Amino acid sequence: MRNRCFGGVGAIVIAASLVAAGPVAGQATGAQQTSAAAAPRWDPPRTADGQPDIQGYWSQRSDITTYSIQAGLVDRDEHTKIGGQAPQKGKPVIDPPDGKIPYLPGAAEKAAFHYSEHKRPSKVEYLDPVSRCFEEGVPRINYQGNMRILQFPKYIVILHEFGHHYRVIYLDGRPSVGDTLKLWMGDSRGRWEGNTLVVDVTNHNDRTWFDIVGSFHSDAMRVQERWTFASADRIDYVATIEDPKVFARPWKLAVTMGRNKPEEQWESAICEGNKAVHVAFDLPW
């Protein structure tokens, strides 16, 4: 069994010395992050109720590390090189074209503060929530590790390797859980548009980050995911992120996912109450 909490703490401790926080399943250039519009026509196998059959084991194959999703950060490049990963070639943020998150001025100051604190935080709340064994949130969970997709007539279940986390995407048109309930993984409602699963994710809390360096959002964030089943072994994923409290405009993040062979997942467990992070950063208990 792999202990995910120690792995998360190890990641941030290693990041503090500019060593890789975790392996990337594969590397791809920006050109390989094919959009749904450019995907070739393909007639996939179907489930008994007619859905494109995307069941199986998947992980991301794109140029994304959990250290930073933004282009142009020197630490991000050093982080991958020193960690033995391939050099960064693309940029996960595909819109705006500069690969940067379009923060509002006040939010940009907060993001810069998070960045200044991430290697040696003055308080535990300035440390990456995933390294503290909290859930990743959407879309980060999709580039954090391996997943297994299961399909049913009224919903899709995604079982994530990290921390035994999971998502249920309802397809039956049921209403959302309401505006007042805020969730770590949000509330997902999906529909099929041809070979593309479109998922609207609402009801996020404001406690998840997009990466280790503190790229953040508020509880007003909405994410629309487009999972395009492009071939037997590839899903093209694009997330459009909106948050009027934090971002000046919607922005997009792209991930290419590949089918894992052999099809298996390892256990990656967390341990509630682990104190290693406090020891590593000499933080109060």
Coordinates of all heavy atoms in Angstrom, one line a residue, residues 208-267:
T208 N -9.8 24.5 -2.2 CA -8.9 23.7 -3.1 C -8.1 24.6 -3.9 O -8.4 25.8 -4.2 CB -9.7 22.7 -4.0 OG1 -10.5 23.5 -4.9 CG2 -10.6 21.8 -3.2
W209 N -6.9 24.1 -4.3 CA -6.0 24.9 -5.2 C -5.8 24.1 -6.5 O -6.0 22.9 -6.5 CB -4.6 25.1 -4.5 CG -4.6 26.0 -3.4 CD1 -5.6 26.8 -2.9 CD2 -3.5 26.3 -2.5 NE1 -5.2 27.6 -1.9 CE2 -3.9 27.3 -1.6 CE3 -2.1 25.9 -2.5 CZ2 -3.0 27.8 -0.6 CZ3 -1.3 26.4 -1.5 CH2 -1.7 27.3 -0.6
F210 N -5.4 24.8 -7.5 CA -5.1 24.1 -8.8 C -3.7 23.5 -8.8 O -3.4 22.7 -9.7 CB -5.2 25.2 -9.9 CG -6.5 25.8 -10.1 CD1 -6.8 27.1 -9.7 CD2 -7.6 25.1 -10.7 CE1 -8.0 27.7 -9.9 CE2 -8.8 25.6 -10.9 CZ -9.1 26.9 -10.5
D211 N -2.9 23.9 -7.9 CA -1.5 23.4 -7.9 C -0.8 23.7 -6.5 O -1.5 24.3 -5.6 CB -0.6 24.0 -9.0 CG -0.7 25.6 -9.0 OD1 -1.0 26.2 -8.0 OD2 -0.6 26.1 -10.1
I212 N 0.4 23.3 -6.4 CA 1.1 23.4 -5.1 C 1.4 24.8 -4.7 O 1.4 25.2 -3.6 CB 2.4 22.6 -5.1 CG1 2.1 21.1 -5.1 CG2 3.4 22.9 -4.0 CD1 3.3 20.2 -5.3
V213 N 1.7 25.7 -5.7 CA 2.1 27.0 -5.5 C 1.0 28.0 -5.1 O 1.2 29.2 -4.9 CB 2.9 27.6 -6.7 CG1 4.1 26.7 -7.0 CG2 2.1 27.8 -7.9
G214 N -0.2 27.5 -5.0 CA -1.3 28.3 -4.5 C -2.2 29.0 -5.5 O -2.9 30.0 -5.1
S215 N -2.3 28.5 -6.7 CA -3.3 29.1 -7.7 C -4.7 28.7 -7.1 O -5.0 27.5 -7.0 CB -3.1 28.5 -9.1 OG -1.7 28.8 -9.5
F216 N -5.5 29.7 -6.9 CA -6.7 29.5 -6.1 C -8.0 30.0 -6.8 O -7.9 30.6 -7.9 CB -6.6 30.2 -4.8 CG -6.7 31.7 -4.8 CD1 -7.9 32.3 -4.4 CD2 -5.7 32.5 -5.4 CE1 -8.1 33.7 -4.5 CE2 -5.9 33.9 -5.4 CZ -7.1 34.5 -5.0
H217 N -9.1 29.8 -6.2 CA -10.4 30.2 -6.7 C -11.3 30.5 -5.5 O -10.9 30.3 -4.3 CB -11.0 29.2 -7.5 CG -11.3 27.9 -6.8 ND1 -12.4 27.6 -6.1 CD2 -10.5 26.8 -6.7 CE1 -12.3 26.4 -5.5 NE2 -11.1 25.9 -5.9
S218 N -12.5 31.0 -5.7 CA -13.5 31.2 -4.6 C -14.6 30.2 -4.7 O -14.6 29.3 -5.6 CB -14.1 32.6 -4.7 OG -15.1 32.7 -5.7
D219 N -15.5 30.3 -3.8 CA -16.7 29.3 -3.8 C -17.7 29.7 -4.9 O -18.7 29.0 -5.0 CB -17.3 29.2 -2.5 CG -18.0 30.5 -2.0 OD1 -17.9 31.5 -2.7 OD2 -18.6 30.5 -0.9
A220 N -17.4 30.7 -5.7 CA -18.2 31.1 -6.8 C -17.8 30.4 -8.1 O -18.4 30.6 -9.2 CB -18.3 32.6 -7.0
M221 N -16.7 29.6 -8.1 CA -16.2 29.0 -9.3 C -17.2 28.0 -9.9 O -17.9 27.3 -9.2 CB -14.9 28.2 -9.0 CG -14.3 27.5 -10.2 SD -12.7 26.7 -9.9 CE -13.2 25.3 -8.9
R222 N -17.2 28.0 -11.2 CA -18.0 27.0 -12.0 C -17.0 26.4 -13.0 O -16.2 27.2 -13.6 CB -19.2 27.6 -12.7 CG -20.2 28.3 -11.8 CD -21.3 28.9 -12.5 NE -22.2 27.9 -13.2 CZ -23.3 27.4 -12.7 NH1 -23.7 27.8 -11.5 NH2 -24.0 26.5 -13.4
V223 N -17.1 25.1 -13.2 CA -16.2 24.5 -14.2 C -17.1 23.7 -15.2 O -18.0 23.0 -14.8 CB -15.2 23.5 -13.5 CG1 -14.4 22.8 -14.5 CG2 -14.4 24.2 -12.5
Q224 N -16.8 23.9 -16.5 CA -17.5 23.0 -17.5 C -16.4 22.2 -18.1 O -15.4 22.6 -18.7 CB -18.2 23.8 -18.6 CG -18.9 22.9 -19.5 CD -19.6 23.6 -20.6 OE1 -19.1 23.8 -21.7 NE2 -20.9 23.9 -20.4
E225 N -16.5 20.9 -17.9 CA -15.6 19.9 -18.4 C -16.1 19.3 -19.7 O -17.3 19.0 -19.9 CB -15.4 18.7 -17.5 CG -15.0 19.1 -16.1 CD -14.9 17.9 -15.2 OE1 -16.0 17.4 -14.9 OE2 -13.8 17.5 -14.7
R226 N -15.3 19.1 -20.7 CA -15.6 18.4 -22.0 C -14.6 17.3 -22.1 O -13.4 17.5 -22.3 CB -15.5 19.4 -23.1 CG -16.5 20.5 -23.1 CD -16.5 21.4 -24.3 NE -17.0 20.7 -25.5 CZ -18.3 20.6 -25.8 NH1 -19.2 21.1 -25.1 NH2 -18.6 19.9 -26.9
W227 N -15.2 16.1 -22.0 CA -14.4 14.8 -22.1 C -14.7 14.2 -23.5 O -15.7 13.6 -23.7 CB -14.8 13.8 -21.0 CG -14.7 14.2 -19.6 CD1 -15.5 15.2 -19.0 CD2 -13.8 13.7 -18.6 NE1 -15.1 15.3 -17.6 CE2 -14.1 14.4 -17.4 CE3 -12.8 12.7 -18.7 CZ2 -13.4 14.1 -16.2 CZ3 -12.1 12.4 -17.5 CH2 -12.4 13.1 -16.3
T228 N -13.8 14.5 -24.5 CA -14.1 14.0 -25.8 C -13.4 12.7 -26.0 O -12.1 12.6 -26.0 CB -13.6 15.0 -26.9 OG1 -14.4 16.2 -26.7 CG2 -13.8 14.5 -28.3
F229 N -14.1 11.6 -26.3 CA -13.6 10.3 -26.5 C -13.1 10.3 -28.0 O -13.8 10.0 -28.9 CB -14.7 9.3 -26.3 CG -14.3 7.9 -26.1 CD1 -13.0 7.5 -25.9 CD2 -15.2 6.8 -26.1 CE1 -12.6 6.2 -25.7 CE2 -14.9 5.5 -25.9 CZ -13.5 5.2 -25.7
A230 N -11.8 10.5 -28.1 CA -11.2 10.8 -29.4 C -10.8 9.5 -30.2 O -10.8 9.4 -31.4 CB -10.0 11.7 -29.3
S231 N -10.4 8.5 -29.4 CA -10.0 7.2 -30.0 C -10.1 6.2 -28.9 O -10.4 6.5 -27.7 CB -8.6 7.3 -30.6 OG -7.6 7.4 -29.6
A232 N -9.8 4.9 -29.2 CA -9.9 3.9 -28.2 C -9.1 4.1 -27.0 O -9.5 3.7 -25.9 CB -9.6 2.5 -28.9
D233 N -8.0 4.8 -27.1 CA -7.0 4.9 -26.0 C -6.8 6.4 -25.7 O -5.8 6.7 -25.0 CB -5.7 4.3 -26.4 CG -5.9 2.8 -26.5 OD1 -6.7 2.2 -25.8 OD2 -5.1 2.2 -27.3
R234 N -7.6 7.3 -26.1 CA -7.4 8.8 -25.8 C -8.7 9.5 -25.5 O -9.7 9.4 -26.2 CB -6.7 9.4 -27.0 CG -6.1 10.8 -26.6 CD -5.4 11.5 -27.8 NE -6.3 12.3 -28.5 CZ -6.5 12.4 -29.8 NH1 -5.7 11.6 -30.6 NH2 -7.3 13.2 -30.4
I235 N -8.6 10.3 -24.5 CA -9.7 11.3 -24.2 C -9.1 12.6 -24.2 O -8.0 12.9 -23.5 CB -10.3 11.0 -22.8 CG1 -11.1 9.6 -22.8 CG2 -11.3 12.1 -22.4 CD1 -11.6 9.2 -21.4
D236 N -9.7 13.6 -24.9 CA -9.2 15.0 -24.9 C -10.1 15.7 -23.9 O -11.3 15.8 -24.1 CB -9.3 15.6 -26.3 CG -8.4 14.9 -27.2 OD1 -7.3 14.4 -26.8 OD2 -8.6 14.9 -28.4
Y237 N -9.5 16.2 -22.8 CA -10.2 16.9 -21.8 C -9.9 18.4 -21.8 O -8.8 18.8 -21.8 CB -9.8 16.3 -20.4 CG -10.3 17.0 -19.2 CD1 -11.5 16.6 -18.6 CD2 -9.6 18.1 -18.6 CE1 -12.0 17.2 -17.4 CE2 -10.1 18.7 -17.5 CZ -11.3 18.2 -16.9 OH -11.8 18.8 -15.7
V238 N -11.0 19.2 -21.8 CA -10.8 20.7 -21.7 C -11.8 21.2 -20.6 O -13.0 20.8 -20.6 CB -11.2 21.4 -23.0 CG1 -11.1 22.9 -22.9 CG2 -10.2 20.9 -24.1
A239 N -11.2 21.9 -19.7 CA -12.0 22.5 -18.6 C -12.1 24.0 -18.8 O -11.0 24.6 -18.9 CB -11.5 22.2 -17.2
T240 N -13.3 24.6 -18.8 CA -13.4 26.0 -18.8 C -13.8 26.5 -17.4 O -14.8 26.0 -16.8 CB -14.5 26.4 -19.8 OG1 -14.2 26.0 -21.1 CG2 -14.7 28.0 -19.8
I241 N -13.0 27.4 -16.8 CA -13.2 27.8 -15.4 C -13.6 29.2 -15.4 O -13.0 30.1 -16.0 CB -11.8 27.6 -14.7 CG1 -11.4 26.2 -14.6 CG2 -11.9 28.2 -13.3 CD1 -10.2 25.8 -15.4
E242 N -14.7 29.5 -14.6 CA -15.2 30.8 -14.4 C -15.3 31.1 -12.9 O -15.7 30.2 -12.2 CB -16.6 31.0 -15.0 CG -16.7 30.7 -16.5 CD -18.1 31.0 -17.1 OE1 -18.7 32.0 -16.7 OE2 -18.6 30.1 -17.8
D243 N -15.0 32.3 -12.5 CA -15.1 32.7 -11.1 C -15.1 34.2 -11.1 O -14.0 34.8 -11.1 CB -14.0 32.1 -10.3 CG -14.2 32.4 -8.8 OD1 -14.9 33.3 -8.4 OD2 -13.6 31.6 -8.0
P244 N -16.2 34.9 -11.1 CA -16.2 36.4 -11.2 C -15.6 37.1 -9.9 O -15.2 38.2 -10.0 CB -17.7 36.7 -11.3 CG -18.4 35.6 -10.7 CD -17.6 34.4 -11.0
K245 N -15.4 36.3 -8.8 CA -14.8 36.9 -7.7 C -13.3 37.0 -7.8 O -12.6 37.8 -7.1 CB -15.2 36.1 -6.4 CG -16.6 36.2 -6.0 CD -16.8 35.4 -4.7 CE -18.2 35.4 -4.2 NZ -18.4 34.6 -3.0
V246 N -12.7 36.1 -8.6 CA -11.3 35.9 -8.7 C -10.7 36.2 -10.1 O -9.6 36.7 -10.2 CB -10.9 34.5 -8.2 CG1 -9.4 34.2 -8.3 CG2 -11.3 34.3 -6.8
F247 N -11.4 35.8 -11.1 CA -10.8 35.8 -12.5 C -11.4 36.9 -13.3 O -12.7 37.2 -13.2 CB -10.9 34.5 -13.2 CG -10.4 33.3 -12.4 CD1 -11.2 32.2 -12.1 CD2 -9.1 33.4 -11.9 CE1 -10.8 31.2 -11.4 CE2 -8.7 32.3 -11.1 CZ -9.5 31.2 -10.9
A248 N -10.6 37.6 -14.1 CA -11.1 38.7 -15.0 C -11.9 38.2 -16.2 O -12.7 38.9 -16.8 CB -9.9 39.5 -15.5
R249 N -11.8 36.9 -16.5 CA -12.5 36.3 -17.6 C -12.4 34.8 -17.5 O -11.6 34.2 -16.7 CB -11.8 36.7 -18.9 CG -10.3 36.5 -19.0 CD -9.7 36.5 -20.3 NE -10.0 35.2 -21.0 CZ -9.5 34.9 -22.2 NH1 -8.6 35.6 -22.8 NH2 -9.8 33.7 -22.8
P250 N -13.2 34.0 -18.2 CA -13.1 32.6 -18.2 C -11.8 32.2 -18.8 O -11.2 32.9 -19.6 CB -14.3 32.1 -19.0 CG -15.3 33.2 -19.0 CD -14.4 34.5 -18.9
W251 N -11.2 31.0 -18.3 CA -10.0 30.5 -18.9 C -10.1 29.0 -19.0 O -11.0 28.4 -18.5 CB -8.8 30.9 -18.1 CG -8.8 30.6 -16.6 CD1 -9.5 31.2 -15.6 CD2 -8.2 29.5 -16.0 NE1 -9.3 30.6 -14.4 CE2 -8.5 29.5 -14.6 CE3 -7.3 28.4 -16.4 CZ2 -8.0 28.6 -13.7 CZ3 -6.8 27.5 -15.5 CH2 -7.2 27.6 -14.2
K252 N -9.2 28.4 -19.9 CA -9.3 27.0 -20.2 C -8.0 26.3 -19.9 O -6.9 26.8 -20.1 CB -9.7 26.8 -21.7 CG -11.1 27.4 -22.0 CD -11.4 27.1 -23.5 CE -12.8 27.6 -23.8 NZ -13.1 27.3 -25.3
L253 N -8.2 25.0 -19.5 CA -7.1 24.1 -19.2 C -7.3 22.8 -19.9 O -8.4 22.3 -20.0 CB -7.0 23.9 -17.7 CG -6.0 22.9 -17.1 CD1 -5.6 23.4 -15.7 CD2 -6.6 21.5 -17.0
A254 N -6.3 22.3 -20.6 CA -6.4 21.1 -21.4 C -5.5 20.0 -20.9 O -4.4 20.2 -20.5 CB -6.1 21.4 -22.9
V255 N -6.1 18.8 -21.0 CA -5.4 17.6 -20.6 C -5.7 16.5 -21.6 O -6.8 16.3 -22.0 CB -5.8 17.0 -19.2 CG1 -5.0 15.8 -18.8 CG2 -5.7 18.1 -18.1
T256 N -4.6 15.8 -22.1 CA -4.8 14.6 -22.9 C -4.7 13.4 -22.0 O -3.7 13.3 -21.2 CB -3.8 14.5 -24.0 OG1 -3.9 15.6 -24.9 CG2 -3.9 13.2 -24.8
M257 N -5.7 12.5 -22.0 CA -5.7 11.3 -21.2 C -5.5 10.1 -22.0 O -6.1 10.0 -23.1 CB -7.0 11.2 -20.4 CG -7.2 12.4 -19.4 SD -8.7 12.2 -18.4 CE -8.6 13.7 -17.5
G258 N -4.7 9.1 -21.5 CA -4.5 7.9 -22.2 C -5.0 6.7 -21.3 O -5.0 6.8 -20.1
R259 N -5.3 5.6 -22.0 CA -5.8 4.4 -21.3 C -4.6 3.7 -20.7 O -3.5 3.5 -21.4 CB -6.5 3.5 -22.3 CG -7.2 2.3 -21.7 CD -7.9 1.4 -22.7 NE -8.9 2.1 -23.4 CZ -10.2 2.2 -23.0 NH1 -10.5 1.7 -21.8 NH2 -11.1 2.8 -23.7
N260 N -4.7 3.3 -19.5 CA -3.6 2.6 -18.8 C -3.7 1.1 -19.2 O -4.7 0.5 -19.1 CB -3.8 2.8 -17.3 CG -3.5 4.2 -16.8 OD1 -2.9 5.0 -17.6 ND2 -3.9 4.5 -15.6
K261 N -2.5 0.6 -19.5 CA -2.4 -0.8 -19.8 C -1.1 -1.3 -19.1 O 0.0 -0.8 -19.3 CB -2.2 -1.1 -21.3 CG -3.5 -0.6 -22.1 CD -3.3 -0.8 -23.6 CE -4.5 -0.2 -24.3 NZ -4.3 -0.4 -25.8
P262 N -1.2 -2.3 -18.2 CA -2.4 -3.1 -17.9 C -3.3 -2.2 -17.1 O -3.0 -1.2 -16.5 CB -1.8 -4.2 -17.0 CG -0.6 -3.7 -16.4 CD 0.0 -2.8 -17.5
E263 N -4.6 -2.7 -17.0 CA -5.6 -1.9 -16.3 C -5.6 -2.3 -14.9 O -6.1 -3.4 -14.5 CB -7.0 -2.2 -17.0 CG -7.1 -1.7 -18.4 CD -8.5 -1.6 -18.9 OE1 -9.3 -2.4 -18.4 OE2 -8.7 -0.9 -19.9
E264 N -5.1 -1.4 -14.1 CA -5.1 -1.6 -12.6 C -4.9 -0.2 -11.9 O -4.4 0.7 -12.5 CB -4.0 -2.5 -12.2 CG -2.6 -2.0 -12.6 CD -1.4 -3.0 -12.1 OE1 -1.8 -3.9 -11.3 OE2 -0.3 -2.7 -12.5
Q265 N -5.2 -0.2 -10.7 CA -4.9 0.9 -9.8 C -4.2 0.5 -8.5 O -4.6 -0.6 -8.0 CB -6.2 1.8 -9.5 CG -6.6 2.6 -10.6 CD -7.7 3.6 -10.3 OE1 -8.1 4.4 -11.1 NE2 -8.2 3.6 -9.0
W266 N -3.3 1.2 -8.0 CA -2.7 0.9 -6.8 C -3.4 1.7 -5.7 O -4.0 2.7 -5.9 CB -1.2 1.4 -6.8 CG -0.3 0.6 -7.7 CD1 -0.7 -0.3 -8.7 CD2 1.1 0.6 -7.7 NE1 0.4 -0.8 -9.3 CE2 1.5 -0.3 -8.7 CE3 2.0 1.3 -6.9 CZ2 2.8 -0.5 -9.0 CZ3 3.4 1.1 -7.2 CH2 3.8 0.2 -8.2
E267 N -3.3 1.2 -4.5 CA -3.9 1.9 -3.4 C -3.1 3.1 -3.0 O -1.8 3.0 -2.9 CB -4.1 1.0 -2.2 CG -4.8 1.7 -1.0 CD -5.1 0.9 0.2 OE1 -4.5 -0.3 0.2 OE2 -5.8 1.3 1.1

